[in-house]
Amino acid sequence: MAGPREQAARMHDRLAGVPASDSVLDDMASHIAAGDDISAAMIAMDNPAFYNVTLKHWVTPWTNEAFDVYAPLNDYTATVIGLIRDDADFRDVLSADVLYVGDAALSLPAYSTTNNQHYEAMEENVVDLQAHLQQTTQSAETGIPADATAGVLTTRAAAKAFFKDGTNRAMFRFTLINHLCTDLEGVADITRAPDRVRQDVSRSPGGDSRLFHNNCVGCHSGMDPLAQAFAYYNYDYDADSDPDGEQGALVYNRSGMTVPETGLRVQAKYWINSNNFVHGYITEDDAWENYWREGYNQHLGWDPALPGQGNGAKSMGRELAHSEKFATCQVTKVFEEVCLRKPQDAADRSQIAAMTSAFASDGYRMKPVFAGAASYCKGE
């Protein structure tokens, strides 16, 4: 029963998180009255708060294991915001040699591979991200080879959260959660061959091999051959003087570099606990393969134009980002952010399917997705 002006106010509140001026509401209302909700939503997204508030709130939980929405601005968050602002193909978020930093004219601390001061200063000074984010490349700013960059997966923030300690499986798991909207349980498939499961996974946990074959193998048989793409990456920090890794840095072993524990480029974490099952898979390089292209997980909609295997994080990130599940996930997350609720019924599911189709046909640009969700929920 709401009129165009009330609907305009609702759209602006949901997209920008701040009240609109009378002139902006008048402009938006005229577009809505003419049946052009998308143009009205685009006006709302011209407000800097769409970037500084809405998008930051949307992206920040992806950057840490605790899903903390109050974490500081960082290179992961800024890069996602920049890609959306610039109407880039959002699939690049998992594979491109891209990084967004603050405008040099702002006199901020320089971007650093060993701290987050550049982005924390931007946040403390309430820098307008829409106006002052500048695109650069990770290879130029960090020295990582361009072919080893993989969008947000190789940002410092992601490395600190998901490459720190562990076995690098965390990077893969949280990429699934944040970008394909599923945890490992959602893709577990015990029918896949376990030949690429690493040595650190016991084949008889608790002395019972049934647990491996009916439980562990479901995740590891698909995850381990994909997570092998990260075999040359680590997050280096001093655990004694800096236990939280605040001064650490992403490291990548280039060709010719070797790790004493492996005698190869492969990080030592890939060979830990090798006595758990000495006949398990020994990682010797960063070659990955997607075993989920067959079996139950075909429904994730893998791109038939891609080979389903390769070397390194860049090609593996492209494999994930070019799946149908990736597209549906982004649209669903936008729906929940703008409509302030999860999809509830057939009408909602139909809307998400339509928005996903439009997302794919429109070059995988994110702002039209936000606009579509705002239009759908403008009367709620």
Side-chain angles (χ1 to χ4, degrees):
M1 300 297 293
R5 190 175 177 82
E6 290 79 12
Q7 291 177 340
R10 173 56 56 85
M11 290 175 70
H12 197 280
D13 290 348
R14 294 285 180 85
L15 289 169
V18 295
S21 67
D22 287 341
S23 61
V24 167
L25 282 181
D26 290 341
D27 197 7
M28 291 178 64
S30 67
H31 284 289
I32 293 172
D36 186 4
D37 289 0
I38 302 304
S39 292
M42 291 297 179
I43 293 171
M45 285 187 282
D46 277 340
N47 191 303
F50 172 67
Y51 300 91
N52 283 59
V53 179
T54 302
L55 288 185
K56 183 180 182 297
H57 177 273
W58 188 59
V59 178
T60 300
W62 313 349
T63 69
N64 59 88
E65 289 192 349
F67 304 107
D68 181 7
V69 71
Y70 299 109
L73 183 72
N74 54 55
D75 54 355
Y76 187 136
T77 313
T79 297
V80 174
I81 292 172
L83 289 171
I84 294 174
R85 182 200 65 182
D86 293 346
D87 278 328
D89 183 332
F90 197 65
R91 296 175 299 178
D92 287 348
V93 76
L94 298 184
S95 64
D97 181 9
V98 64
L99 183 72
Y100 280 81
V101 298
D103 188 334
L106 297 172
S107 299
L108 300 167
Y111 176 84
S112 173
T113 58
T114 59
N115 65 62
N116 192 45
Q117 294 176 9
H118 177 79
Y119 296 97
E120 291 175 6
M122 291 176 69
E123 193 160 34
E124 290 169 3
N125 290 286
V126 197
V127 169
D128 181 345
L129 301 179
Q130 180 185 21
H132 294 293
L133 281 180
Q134 289 192 335
Q135 184 185 121
T136 182
T137 62
Q138 293 178 31
S139 55
E141 297 291 335
T142 70
I144 295 175
D147 61 2
T149 61
V152 296
L153 303 183
T154 47
T155 57
R156 180 183 182 274
K160 179 177 179 292
F162 311 127
F163 281 149
K164 181 175 176 284
D165 305 326
T167 60
N168 284 0
R169 292 184 178 102
M171 179 65 81
F172 182 76
R173 180 199 170 203
F174 282 91
T175 300
L176 285 184
I177 294 172
N178 295 322
H179 297 284
L180 273 75
C181 293
T182 183
D183 205 339
L184 288 165
E185 291 82 0
V187 290
D189 181 1
I190 63 172
T191 69
R192 299 300 91 207
D195 59 313
R196 296 278 287 270
V197 179
R198 295 183 220 164
Q199 293 176 309
D200 62 332
V201 180
S202 172
R203 270 45 170 192
S204 297
D208 189 347
S209 63
R210 293 174 299 177
L211 292 177
F212 173 77
H213 290 291
N214 294 300
N215 189 2
C216 306
V217 73
C219 297
H220 282 283
S221 61
M223 172 174 57
D224 282 14
L226 284 164
Q228 190 170 334
F230 303 127
Y232 301 156
Y233 299 87
N234 200 5
Y235 186 73
D236 186 34
Y237 70 104
D238 188 326
D240 294 324
S241 63
D242 181 26
D244 293 327
E246 295 298 332
Q247 306 302 315
L250 170 68
V251 295
Y252 173 78
N253 287 346
R254 297 168 177 263
S255 178
M257 298 177 67
T258 58
V259 175
E261 293 87 344
T262 66
L264 304 168
R265 293 172 67 183
V266 176
Q267 297 288 350
K269 59 176 64 180
Y270 276 75
W271 283 24
I272 65 170
N273 299 321
S274 58
N275 287 331
N276 282 353
F277 187 69
V278 296
H279 302 294
Y281 186 77
I282 300 174
T283 303
E284 296 183 344
D285 54 32
D286 66 349
W288 62 269
E289 185 172 353
N290 186 1
Y291 282 22
W292 289 334
R293 277 184 168 253
E294 297 180 354
Y296 167 77
N297 288 311
Q298 291 182 68
H299 79 279
L300 298 178
W302 306 106
D303 186 346
L306 296 177
Q309 58 185 348
N311 288 84
K314 182 181 290 292
S315 58
M316 198 277 288
R318 186 178 296 115
E319 171 82 349
L320 298 179
H322 282 243
S323 67
E324 294 173 7
K325 181 64 171 175
F326 174 87
T328 303
C329 176
Q330 312 317 307
V331 171
T332 302
K333 290 190 299 183
V334 169
F335 182 98
E336 294 174 359
E337 179 72 17
V338 175
C339 297
L340 304 180
R341 62 178 177 82
K342 292 183 178 295
Q344 296 174 343
D345 53 28
D348 289 351
R349 291 189 289 273
S350 177
Q351 174 66 15
I352 287 175
M355 289 168 60
T356 303
S357 178
F359 180 45
S361 63
D362 195 28
Y364 295 91
R365 298 183 302 126
M366 288 301 300
K367 280 190 286 188
V369 179
F370 278 89
S375 172
Y376 182 72
C377 298
K378 69 180 185 295
E380 295 182 355

